Amino acid sequence: MADGLSLSRRELVGAGVGSGFLAAAGGLLLPESSAGAQQPRYGGRIRVSSVSSSTADTLDPAKGALSTDYSRHNMFYNGLTRYDRLLNPRPELAETIETSDQILWRVKLRKGVEFHDGKPLTSADVIYSLLRHKLPATASKMKSVAEQIAEVRAAGRDEVMIRLTGANADLPAILAQSHFLIVRDGTKDFRTANGTGPYRCSEFRPGVRTRGVRNPNYWKHGRPYVDQIELIGIPDEVSRVNALLSGDVHLINAVNPRSTRRIQQARGYGVMSTEAGFYTNLIMRQNELPTGNPHFVLAMKYLFDRALIRRALFRDFAVIANDHPIPPFHPYYRADLPQRPCDPDRAKYHLQKAGLTGVRLPMFASPAAEGSVDMASVLQEYGARIGLNLAVNRVPSDGYWSTHWMKHPLTFGNTNPRPTADLIFSLFYKSDADWNESGWKNPAFDRLLVEARGEADQARRKQLYGEMQELVYNHCGVGIPVFINLIDGYDRRLKGVYPIPIGGLMGYMFADNVWWDG
Amino acid sequence: MAAIGASGDRGGGFTVVRLVAGRIVSALLTLLLVSLIVFIISGLLPGDAAQEMLGQSATPEALAALRHQLGLDVPAHVRYLSWLTGMLGGNPGHSIVANMPVSEIISERLPNSLVLAGLTAVVAIAAALFIGIFSAMHRGSRTDRALNVTTLALVAVPEFLVATIAVLIFAVHLRLLPSITLVSPDASWGEFFRSYALPVLTLAIVVVAQMARMIRAAIIDQLDRPYVEMAMLKGVRPGRIVLTHVLPNAIAPIVNAMALSLSYLLGGAIIVETIFNYPGLASLMVNAVTSRDMPLLQTCAMIFCAAYLLLVLIADVVAILANPRLRSR
């Protein structure tokens, strides 16, 4: 292991190897608790509201579907690793994760960790928690990702060996996703949560509330800080903001950019904007005409007025994108790709080349894909100027993903932030991926993807991912105008809040970090 | 006289029993039809529970496995019949999505809905009776016209607007009342009434307006009758006329109006439940639709339908009992 990539604890903590976001300036590493110089206070009760709560709520991490689920799972469970504020994976229940070939990984478990029922954490729990994702009956959201886990076996009570089907340097980052949180060996019934996390589940009522009380035996010394956390879901955005401003809840996510001014103007309330790789994209199916015509694809990409979309749709709570899914703040972002401008003349040229002037094309947009209805209207307006007749079909959110998404030549998609470049590309851009949204087939891209996945050298990796960005930018039938920031609102008495760029609510991990200064 | 009255009563009792029995039979038929229609229509919705659960991660093989696990791979009519036989035996089935017995979920939500509807009914009926009677007695006066315009305006204002404005005023600015209704078993009476104040107010405004107008019309209709004139000529005070002479005669249309308004409180509270994040039955049913949870959806539909039929039946029975002519027929 001496000459291979060794993700020892020290390196994980110190340099952020793995795959996450590196700090822009070489050695700049923020200390973990730099959110406030203040000493954390103990006690208090807080109420947090996320966007949804329904009978589909679950305590099974594998089934986690939405921000409420992710947040709930992070209250009660821990993962082998977790993300820091730069999205580097850090050791959590794993003391170290080491590998020499990116295929066989040795995970040493932290000792003295207890589940809420008092049983100690052992390798059997980890094996069970990881392998259950591969069983169809689990209905895991991570089934396709877990397919690359070939084998997990115990090497003693406090050590497991994970063997992958192919080299993947990103394993520590993959395991930090909330779906891979560790449950107790043999758990089938998820009516209550038995994890190792900072809170114990005292009440779980799907569609109503989740309540957690401080776990006094938490293995992280001195944590957590708050006595009790209640997690609810308020689907209506106006009601959610009102609940925050009237003091009924103390932290909310998915704030509309239009509501930010209202929150900021109220005394004692703040807005936290998280730059993450969240985007809504135009999908031009490549196996259908006319969207499969490369000239048509370019015409549409030149038609996006990205600055207008950022300003008018998202009130500047967005970052301009360049038709590939890697955001500018990502360590693997390729800065030397020219930013594609809004250029109606070039769009017109490509449209004429494609022979599509005057053609009427239906385009499907839905509130399910955030901002897509307004983006479609902008495209329609700009299209009309160059002789492209786009007909916007606004369809309801309900059933959009199963009936419209990717099912017509022109639709909109919406992709949540993923922790690694490999996951984004593997899930949405690989030729044989289930959600290869545009259906493009690029063998060169596929080769680069596999090579980059097993590559341990950071510089080489960055170069490979850069080449992939160029391929997507030039050839893929996907137009990405902007990356949308995730906006949270919080009561300023809630301290220790900072963005973690995997999602809102501190990357859904507020429970471990916040304290109440009320 | 006594003999005639007694036989009339017997006949009345018989009529009512026959009516109730007939109504119950037709109600059961209605419920059956409704369940069939709900099942068929919800089957036409795009996607099923497995697709909704997996969402974007629905690969064909994952879907097939989950469908098999949830029992969605059996033909629709078999699923319907097994649900129906379960329901007839008093078991509304198992929620596909929540993986819990439907009865357990309902038993948690139904009381919430009943509390909200009950509180609103108490407030609304009292207010509506007061407004209706008052404006009928002062027909044509300035107060009557003012009440008229106000109630008409309130009927026309959508409840989401009423609710949002009420929240802005009472919760965000004045901070008197909570903006969301959290049902907590360990709440004190004060907290209980505080948290229910805004949703009850919103719902009451909507139904009060309708009821008050119907009550006013029913009473005015009676006030024009000769017996009222007779009573007035005899020197009975107006308040006494309305309460002891007019009201019993106007009870049938009033109860009818109330039944229609109250049936709305159970299922129609969806907007209020959404805005105040109240865990009632209506939002549960919307959940069931979006997650394609058929057993839960069916059971909610049955409850709403049964409640509606029951309220209408009660109104009819009251109307018959209140009217001697109907009673003896």
Side-chain angles (χ1 to χ4, degrees):
Chain A
M1 238 168 262
D3 47 14
L5 170 74
S6 158
L7 286 180
S8 71
R9 180 180 180 192
R10 171 167 299 175
E11 279 168 310
L12 270 172
V13 174
V17 194
S19 58
F21 289 56
L22 292 157
L28 174 71
L29 274 168
L30 301 166
E32 273 256 68
S33 53
S34 68
Q38 235 179 315
Q39 196 64 26
R41 278 175 63 168
Y42 287 95
R45 295 170 162 211
I46 61 167
R47 196 179 285 135
V48 178
S49 173
S50 177
V51 291
S52 60
S53 183
S54 73
T55 46
D57 287 355
T58 176
L59 282 172
D60 181 352
K63 286 204 181 78
L66 294 156
S67 53
T68 326
D69 284 335
Y70 306 152
S71 305
R72 181 184 312 113
H73 299 156
N74 278 309
M75 280 166 73
F76 303 132
Y77 305 99
N78 293 124
L80 289 174
T81 51
R82 80 186 155 82
Y83 302 112
D84 66 7
R85 66 176 72 216
L86 302 172
L87 220 55
N88 296 312
R90 300 212 179 222
E92 186 87 337
L93 292 181
E95 213 162 40
T96 60
I97 298 189
E98 299 169 324
T99 185
S100 55
D101 56 3
Q102 281 75 244
I103 293 179
L104 189 65
W105 297 75
R106 175 185 299 273
V107 182
K108 276 213 182 76
L109 299 180
R110 198 175 289 278
K111 293 192 182 67
V113 176
E114 270 182 13
F115 281 93
H116 297 156
D117 67 357
K119 298 263 170 35
L121 170 80
T122 66
S123 48
D125 305 312
V126 174
I127 295 170
Y128 177 77
S129 301
L130 296 185
L131 289 182
R132 61 191 292 268
H133 292 274
K134 297 177 67 163
L135 306 173
T138 308
S140 169
K141 299 274 186 216
M142 284 290 150
K143 186 167 182 297
S144 57
V145 174
E147 292 301 341
Q148 60 183 303
I149 300 177
E151 183 196 20
V152 186
R153 64 185 157 79
R157 193 169 169 276
D158 299 314
E159 201 169 309
V160 289
M161 303 295 292
I162 303 174
R163 193 165 53 77
L164 304 179
T165 53
N168 191 340
D170 285 334
L171 186 69
I174 289 172
L175 293 178
Q177 295 177 92
S178 75
H179 302 91
F180 288 106
L181 296 174
I182 303 301
V183 301
R184 185 126 155 71
D185 183 20
T187 310
K188 290 236 162 48
D189 177 31
F190 285 94
R191 282 177 174 230
T192 186
N194 181 21
T196 58
Y199 288 84
R200 286 180 175 175
C201 179
S202 62
E203 186 182 2
F204 170 61
R205 292 202 277 157
V208 184
R209 73 165 65 83
T210 308
R211 210 193 296 257
V213 292
R214 185 173 190 274
N215 175 8
N217 294 338
Y218 193 41
W219 57 271
K220 279 187 199 173
H221 186 67
R223 289 193 184 210
Y225 306 112
V226 181
D227 282 342
Q228 183 184 303
I229 296 182
E230 183 178 341
L231 178 68
I232 59 174
I234 306 180
D236 182 48
E237 198 261 349
V238 176
S239 301
R240 199 159 59 242
V241 172
N242 282 339
L244 176 75
L245 295 183
S246 57
D248 294 317
V249 301
H250 310 107
L251 176 65
I252 60 175
N253 71 341
V255 172
N256 190 309
R258 281 183 283 273
S259 305
T260 51
R261 196 179 296 169
R262 230 187 114 203
I263 296 177
Q264 280 163 331
Q265 281 172 352
R267 274 168 66 95
Y269 297 94
V271 161
M272 176 169 76
S273 172
T274 306
E275 284 187 348
F278 176 60
Y279 65 81
T280 293
N281 55 323
L282 178 68
I283 300 166
M284 296 160 268
R285 291 293 287 173
Q286 295 300 291
N287 48 6
E288 284 169 81
L289 285 174
T291 49
N293 186 317
H295 281 293
F296 175 79
V297 171
L298 281 174
M300 293 305 283
K301 288 180 178 176
Y302 278 114
L303 216 48
F304 268 124
D305 189 340
R306 295 158 210 265
L308 175 78
I309 289 174
R310 181 177 66 168
R311 190 180 66 244
L313 270 58
F314 301 108
R315 308 274 162 125
D316 291 327
F317 284 97
V319 177
I320 291 199
N322 203 13
D323 294 326
H324 64 73
I326 306 298
F329 40 86
H330 195 288
Y332 297 146
Y333 176 72
R334 180 160 159 193
D336 62 344
L337 270 184
Q339 173 64 50
R340 189 166 275 136
C342 176
D343 190 340
D345 289 335
R346 281 176 89 164
K348 192 172 183 178
Y349 163 79
H350 285 293
L351 195 68
Q352 281 164 350
K353 275 278 192 184
L356 287 169
T357 313
V359 173
R360 183 179 185 278
L361 274 175
M363 176 163 57
F364 289 80
S366 163
E370 189 170 330
S372 67
V373 177
D374 291 332
M375 282 183 200
S377 305
V378 173
L379 276 178
Q380 185 183 37
E381 174 70 27
Y382 279 68
R385 295 183 198 166
I386 62 161
L388 176 64
N389 184 3
L390 294 169
V392 180
N393 287 347
R394 186 188 195 275
V395 291
S397 301
D398 188 32
Y400 178 74
W401 302 111
S402 53
T403 40
H404 296 292
W405 178 54
M406 292 166 56
K407 299 270 196 317
H408 311 286
L410 268 184
T411 58
F412 279 91
N414 179 244
T415 301
N416 285 322
R418 307 281 159 166
T420 70
D422 177 61
L423 277 173
I424 303 169
F425 282 137
S426 309
L427 292 172
F428 293 93
Y429 295 88
K430 194 162 168 271
S431 298
D432 58 358
D434 289 314
W435 317 319
N436 176 1
E437 292 180 310
S438 69
W440 80 317
K441 305 254 183 282
N442 194 313
F445 177 88
D446 295 347
R447 274 196 304 276
L448 286 167
L449 183 63
V450 176
E451 192 186 339
R453 186 183 296 155
E455 180 60 61
D457 179 62
Q458 288 298 308
R460 174 77 183 134
R461 265 198 132 186
K462 180 164 181 160
Q463 188 198 339
L464 294 172
Y465 282 121
E467 286 174 37
M468 287 151 76
Q469 285 165 52
E470 187 176 1
L471 289 174
V472 173
Y473 167 85
N474 281 326
H475 305 295
C476 185
V478 157
I480 306 176
V482 293
F483 294 101
I484 307 164
N485 294 3
L486 305 166
I487 309 174
D488 295 339
Y490 64 98
D491 191 314
R492 286 197 187 279
R493 289 171 291 176
L494 191 69
K495 307 284 185 181
V497 184
Y498 57 85
I500 296 176
I502 188 73
L505 302 175
M506 299 184 72
Y508 317 115
M509 291 179 275
F510 63 89
D512 214 2
N513 294 299
V514 296
W515 77 90
W516 182 246
D517 192 19
Chain B
M1 272 298 268
I4 296 170
S7 80
D9 274 346
R10 259 205 306 281
F14 183 65
T15 320
V16 169
V17 169
R18 209 173 46 187
L19 176 107
V20 170
R23 278 302 187 79
I24 287 175
V25 172
S26 68
L28 288 177
L29 270 176
T30 313
L31 284 174
L32 185 72
L33 273 177
V34 166
S35 77
L36 197 60
I37 292 170
V38 169
F39 188 82
I40 291 172
I41 291 185
S42 55
L44 296 178
L45 288 171
D48 62 6
Q51 269 174 323
E52 290 302 321
M53 272 167 93
L54 291 172
Q56 278 193 333
S57 42
T59 59
E61 53 154 0
L63 263 182
L66 191 60
R67 281 200 180 120
H68 181 71
Q69 192 196 343
L70 301 176
L72 292 173
D73 51 350
V74 294
H77 63 274
V78 179
R79 269 184 288 138
Y80 177 72
L81 284 178
S82 75
W83 173 82
L84 189 65
T85 44
M87 195 70 184
L88 291 176
N91 172 20
H94 201 83
S95 158
I96 300 174
V97 176
N99 198 19
M100 283 161 82
V102 167
S103 52
E104 203 173 307
I105 303 176
I106 298 277
S107 67
E108 184 175 321
R109 298 292 192 103
L110 185 60
N112 290 346
S113 273
L114 290 177
V115 167
L116 182 62
L119 280 177
T120 311
V122 170
V123 173
I125 290 176
L129 277 174
F130 178 78
I131 295 174
I133 293 171
F134 185 85
S135 56
M137 285 171 68
H138 301 85
R139 185 166 21 151
S141 73
R142 210 170 268 180
T143 352
D144 175 38
R145 270 177 294 167
L147 281 172
N148 235 329
V149 170
T150 318
T151 48
L152 259 181
L154 287 178
V155 171
V157 178
E159 52 198 314
F160 66 82
L161 188 63
V162 176
T164 309
I165 291 174
V167 166
L168 278 180
I169 295 174
F170 293 107
V172 177
H173 287 291
L174 297 178
R175 295 221 164 191
L176 289 173
L177 300 167
S179 65
I180 46 176
T181 306
L182 296 156
V183 187
S184 162
D186 46 337
S188 68
W189 282 102
E191 286 171 31
F192 177 84
F193 284 116
R194 253 167 47 85
S195 67
Y196 274 94
L198 285 180
V200 166
L201 174 80
T202 310
L203 273 178
I205 280 181
V206 178
V207 290
V208 158
Q210 271 166 336
M211 275 198 276
R213 289 191 64 78
M214 308 268 273
I215 291 169
R216 177 182 178 272
I219 290 180
I220 284 178
D221 180 49
Q222 293 294 324
L223 286 177
D224 290 342
R225 298 288 172 90
Y227 74 87
V228 175
E229 204 175 344
M230 190 65 188
M232 258 151 61
L233 290 176
K234 279 185 164 177
V236 185
R237 271 176 287 114
R240 199 178 145 83
I241 292 181
V242 168
L243 289 182
T244 58
H245 296 272
V246 168
L247 215 48
N249 283 307
I251 199 81
I254 289 177
V255 171
N256 243 314
M258 283 178 182
L260 285 177
S261 297
L262 295 186
S263 65
Y264 169 83
L265 288 181
L266 217 51
I270 176 65
I271 291 168
V272 166
E273 285 186 15
T274 304
I275 290 182
F276 295 102
N277 209 43
Y278 186 76
L281 269 190
S283 53
L284 184 70
M285 183 159 171
V286 172
N287 265 187
V289 175
T290 47
S291 60
R292 311 281 186 267
D293 195 344
M294 289 308 157
L296 187 58
L297 171 60
Q298 293 274 65
T299 312
C300 289
M302 292 298 94
I303 291 176
F304 291 143
C305 187
Y308 183 81
L309 293 170
L310 184 71
L311 281 166
V312 174
L313 177 64
I314 291 175
D316 284 355
V317 170
V318 169
I320 289 171
L321 293 180
N323 189 334
R325 274 168 302 172
L326 287 178
R327 214 171 5 183
S328 55
R329 206 186 299 162

